[in-house]
């Protein structure tokens, strides 16, 4: 094996913690107000 298990686990942990989600999940109230605004157009 080229890497030790500890090194692999450290790399996996750093990748896991460095994730960037695609955007914040909106609150239901925000979503509802946008939906109402679209319906009035």
């Amino acid at each position: 094996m080229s890497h030790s298990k500890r090194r692999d686990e450290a790399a996996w942990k750093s990748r896991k913690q460095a994730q960037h989600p695609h955007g914040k999940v909106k609150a239901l109230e925000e979503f509802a107000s946008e939906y109402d605004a679209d319906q009035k157009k």
Side-chain angles (χ1 to χ4, degrees):
M1 288 206 177
S2 60
H3 294 295
S4 67
K5 186 173 183 180
R6 184 177 300 227
R7 195 169 185 182
D8 285 339
E9 288 176 356
W12 180 83
K13 197 174 204 179
S14 67
R15 283 196 307 272
K16 189 76 172 168
Q17 290 176 347
Q19 288 182 358
H20 300 291
H22 291 286
K24 188 177 178 184
V25 177
K26 295 184 180 183
L28 188 58
E29 293 84 19
E30 283 183 73
F31 206 73
S33 64
E34 287 181 11
Y35 181 78
D36 290 340
D38 287 344
Q39 294 299 316
K40 291 177 183 176
K41 288 183 181 178

